[in-house]
Amino acid sequence: MRGLWKKMTAAALCAVTAVSTAACGAGGGSSASAENTYSVWLYSAQDASYYTDYSENPALQYVQSKTWGSEEKAVALEFLVPPSGSEQDNYQTMVASGEYPDVLMGAISDPAPILYENGIIMDLTDYVEEYMPNYTAFLEAHEDFRANVVYEIDGEEKILSITAANEDYPYYFCGPQYRRDWIVKYGTNPETGEAFTGGYTDPEDPDSWEDDVVFPSGGTEPVYISDWEWMFGIFTRAQADLGIEDSYSMSVYYPGFSWSGGLCSSFGGGVPVWYKNTDGEVVFGGDSEQMRAYLECLNTWYANGWLDQEFNERTSDSFYAIDDTSVRQGEVGLWVGSQGQLGGRMDLNDGGYTEGICSYGCAWPINDVYGTEECKYVEPDCVPATSLSGTPYFITTAAEGKDIATLCSFLDYFYSEEGALIRTLGLSGEQAAESGSSLYEEWGLADGAYSVGDDGRYIKSDVLVSDSGNLQIACNLEKLPGITLISSVDNGYADTYEASLASWLKYKNTGFFQGSAVTNNMTNEDAGVCDDIRTRVLDYMTIHAPEMITGATDPFDDGDWNTWSTMLQKYNYQKATEIYQPYADQYTF
């Protein structure tokens, strides 16, 4: 195998940096034998600002100074890292060559069952059950995680990966957010008619905003479609007062919908394609009453001037950065944006439309205005969401003959609380000193990466809180499988900031399953049939949904809606529904 890596480097096609790490660092411990030395392919390298070789990672040095398993053996790792931008080519070269590292971080293209059937990865079921009690406990306690790890092959359940896990659902990277400052300045209390008051208590703190805003639904945050429409009226007044030309309140993804959910799911649940409803049935939503209510809503918003009149032309924009220039210039009232846009983080101090901006995150709304009664007052159930499952790590057939039991015992440590803490935050001051590395001391972390609060949660060091995140990665072991602590960590977020992040997780994704264990476990034949039908359905809706929204056709008109429904039915979406059902029965919870 070493010859392969050298050959690829010399060819300058799929160069890989090989970094050997010994298990006899400054922290002590005995050297690992050949059968306990493993090559690990990583998808990406570390930030070279702190060290150039992953072997210099203090947390790695610390754990490699220990011994593992009942026979207390040392473990050594050799990391193989493709240069940035060549990951896909490098992975494909490995597959084509038939020579693999012992441990493979993720599968870029092939699902686990295919890798197993092709003889690339090992069946880990017996090893996990005997040598990984922490991993097994997490599998048993989290059915939604287990569904992404355990596969049925030839009628037997098999564990094919050691998959990174989240202790809890982590915050999502983006979500709907709106200009709270415009609500305060241009809105009035819907009950009393009195002007709102509010502002920053500390001009230097982007999260110090306080106000007395109340929405028509009675709370301090928007809940319903009617709350959003109330905001749109306020945004229109703000834009007129500020002289913002070609203004609109919000935009949508260029097809007029997001097939994975979000706002589409606000009208009785579901998505425009396939999802699992509350009765466990796989349903196609493209010609449903829910989809019609969604299109009626957006048709109304477009006619009122609340919706971006050019949404369908923004084909190159990501769903989380639609017309990003207008958003960052402070011209839009509500948008799907990133964590870095919350609070006052977009105030450019240039006297423009972002001056004094305060952006609050909010949950997707519940419909209370459009469509039939079944489309109203139902919480969204198909929303962009995070997962308990992270990157899978596979032990390949190249490791056959090595001490897999000890390797599994070593990796199982990172599913314990102590190991998860090292993987998430890094080392304590005592552990950092024991590691023999000076990196912690050099970067102001002599006392460790965390402390313990009165509530028992781990408090991230102020040095790491103020860091961009790269130092955190340099100090922890996130590039190995294990648990990432979520609820056990106090990240030092301000209440307003954390409330915005929490709003994006208010509703859970229980319905949208594509891209999950359902599709990962489909046979090639079934996947091919469903992919073909889905492509044709989405092609039709991508062309004709904008027509419904802009008024070229009318979702309120029964004739136009029947034409839409008839065309979708011609693509035989029911065939895909039937294929999906048994997979959804087995691999969803």
Side-chain angles (χ1 to χ4, degrees):
M1 183 175 66
R2 292 180 184 274
L4 171 66
W5 299 116
K6 291 179 181 178
K7 210 178 298 180
M8 289 191 296
T9 303
L13 294 174
C14 308
V16 174
T17 301
V19 180
S20 295
T21 65
C24 54
S30 59
S31 297
S33 64
E35 70 169 357
N36 290 115
T37 301
Y38 311 91
S39 56
V40 182
W41 185 85
L42 298 180
Y43 181 79
S44 60
Q46 74 289 331
D47 185 345
S49 302
Y50 304 99
Y51 42 75
T52 56
D53 293 341
Y54 202 58
S55 61
E56 298 175 47
N57 181 299
L60 183 64
Q61 292 178 341
Y62 173 76
V63 297
Q64 286 194 138
S65 71
K66 308 300 179 183
T67 55
W68 308 93
S70 59
E71 298 182 23
E72 298 186 355
K73 295 179 180 179
V75 166
L77 304 178
E78 177 186 75
F79 291 92
L80 307 167
V81 186
S84 178
S86 70
E87 296 87 357
Q88 180 74 40
D89 288 341
N90 183 241
Y91 178 83
Q92 296 297 345
T93 299
M94 282 193 297
V95 173
S97 70
E99 297 188 55
Y100 319 106
D102 298 319
V103 180
L104 185 62
M105 178 187 184
I108 293 179
S109 56
D110 299 314
I114 300 301
L115 294 175
Y116 176 71
E117 290 171 8
N118 290 340
I120 297 174
I121 64 174
M122 296 174 59
D123 176 6
L124 301 177
T125 308
D126 292 341
Y127 289 107
V128 167
E129 291 177 352
E130 185 168 357
Y131 302 107
M132 301 191 71
N134 295 312
Y135 187 56
T136 299
F138 195 88
L139 281 171
E140 292 175 349
H142 300 88
E143 184 62 31
D144 43 348
F145 177 79
R146 188 178 188 276
N148 285 282
V149 173
V150 179
Y151 301 87
E152 183 174 309
I153 298 177
D154 297 330
E156 295 184 8
E157 288 191 343
K158 294 184 182 295
I159 299 173
L160 302 180
S161 68
I162 300 171
T163 298
N166 291 310
E167 175 192 30
D168 201 348
Y169 291 94
Y171 291 132
Y172 199 58
F173 77 98
C174 71
Q177 49 189 287
Y178 63 95
R179 290 210 52 168
R180 186 83 170 193
D181 60 303
W182 280 358
I183 302 293
V184 170
K185 185 175 181 180
Y186 295 96
T188 57
N189 188 299
E191 290 290 331
T192 66
E194 296 180 357
F196 295 126
T197 61
Y200 288 103
T201 59
D202 180 357
E204 303 299 320
D205 183 353
D207 298 312
S208 64
W209 184 271
E210 295 180 2
D211 62 42
D212 58 2
V213 167
V214 177
F215 284 82
S217 56
T220 59
E221 301 297 334
V223 176
Y224 297 108
I225 287 289
S226 58
D227 287 328
W228 280 36
E229 294 187 340
W230 176 77
M231 286 196 293
F232 293 164
I234 294 172
F235 298 154
T236 300
R237 292 197 295 274
Q239 290 160 336
D241 181 65
L242 295 169
I244 300 174
E245 299 180 358
D246 300 322
S247 61
Y248 60 85
S249 292
M250 71 166 289
S251 192
V252 293
Y253 199 33
Y254 76 89
F257 62 91
S258 293
W259 68 295
S260 59
L263 186 59
C264 290
S265 192
S266 294
F267 297 83
V271 288
V273 285
W274 293 266
Y275 66 97
K276 188 183 75 170
N277 66 17
T278 55
D279 294 326
E281 299 171 333
V282 174
V283 178
F284 175 76
D287 59 350
S288 65
E289 286 299 314
Q290 291 92 330
M291 184 62 176
R292 185 175 186 179
Y294 170 79
L295 292 171
E296 290 173 350
C297 175
L298 265 64
N299 175 280
T300 303
W301 289 1
Y302 188 91
N304 290 345
W306 294 337
L307 194 65
D308 178 6
Q309 303 293 290
E310 300 178 355
F311 75 89
N312 190 229
E313 299 177 19
R314 307 191 190 281
T315 55
S316 62
D317 291 353
S318 301
F319 77 93
Y320 56 86
I322 302 171
D323 194 11
D324 194 49
T325 298
S326 295
V327 168
R328 292 185 180 276
Q329 289 177 345
E331 298 178 355
V332 181
L334 191 153
W335 66 97
V336 175
S338 65
Q339 296 180 8
Q341 295 173 332
L342 292 169
R345 289 168 176 79
M346 289 200 297
D347 193 335
L348 303 177
N349 297 313
D350 62 358
Y353 301 131
T354 62
E355 183 176 7
I357 190 173
C358 178
S359 171
Y360 267 26
C362 63
W364 294 105
I366 296 172
N367 174 47
D368 60 338
V369 178
Y370 299 93
T372 61
E373 289 306 308
E374 68 175 315
C375 300
K376 297 178 181 177
Y377 302 103
V378 178
E379 293 183 354
D381 59 4
C382 294
V383 294
T386 51
S387 171
L388 293 181
S389 302
T391 303
Y393 291 72
F394 305 101
I395 298 179
T396 75
T397 51
E400 290 179 344
K402 291 193 173 184
D403 188 355
I404 307 301
T406 297
L407 175 61
C408 286
S409 294
F410 168 72
L411 295 176
D412 189 56
Y413 170 69
F414 300 105
Y415 292 87
S416 69
E417 183 173 359
E418 180 179 289
L421 182 57
I422 292 176
R423 185 180 182 275
T424 306
L425 293 179
L427 304 173
S428 67
E430 181 180 348
Q431 290 171 332
E434 188 177 340
S435 74
S437 171
S438 61
L439 185 141
Y440 271 60
E441 186 173 0
E442 291 172 2
W443 291 93
L445 294 169
D447 293 330
Y450 61 89
S451 59
V452 182
D454 294 337
D455 60 356
R457 298 173 73 203
Y458 301 107
I459 303 173
K460 186 187 294 188
S461 164
D462 289 340
V463 174
L464 297 178
V465 169
S466 60
D467 176 67
S468 63
N470 290 333
L471 179 58
Q472 176 80 79
I473 296 172
C475 290
N476 66 17
L477 268 181
E478 72 162 24
K479 292 189 182 299
L480 292 183
I483 292 175
T484 297
L485 299 179
I486 305 295
S487 54
S488 297
V489 176
D490 181 349
N491 289 293
Y493 295 151
D495 290 343
T496 53
Y497 182 74
E498 192 142 32
S500 288
L501 298 180
S503 72
W504 296 342
L505 298 181
K506 181 175 181 179
Y507 304 119
K508 303 301 182 186
N509 176 46
T510 60
F512 185 70
F513 56 75
Q514 289 157 85
S516 70
V518 172
T519 47
N520 289 343
N521 280 283
M522 295 179 74
T523 66
N524 288 336
E525 181 180 358
D526 285 346
V529 172
C530 291
D531 288 347
D532 180 63
I533 295 173
R534 183 173 63 247
T535 297
R536 286 183 284 146
V537 163
L538 286 173
D539 284 347
Y540 177 83
M541 291 196 291
T542 298
I543 294 172
H544 296 286
E547 296 174 350
M548 287 277 192
I549 293 169
T550 61
T553 54
D554 187 359
F556 291 94
D557 181 81
D558 288 341
D560 285 349
W561 180 251
N562 288 336
T563 298
W564 165 280
S565 300
T566 300
M567 289 302 298
L568 288 176
Q569 291 166 12
K570 287 183 177 180
Y571 295 123
N572 195 19
Y573 63 72
Q574 185 58 37
K575 176 65 174 177
T577 304
E578 295 170 356
I579 291 174
Y580 280 132
Q581 186 66 62
Y583 292 103
D585 290 341
Q586 182 172 354
Y587 294 109
T588 59
F589 54 96

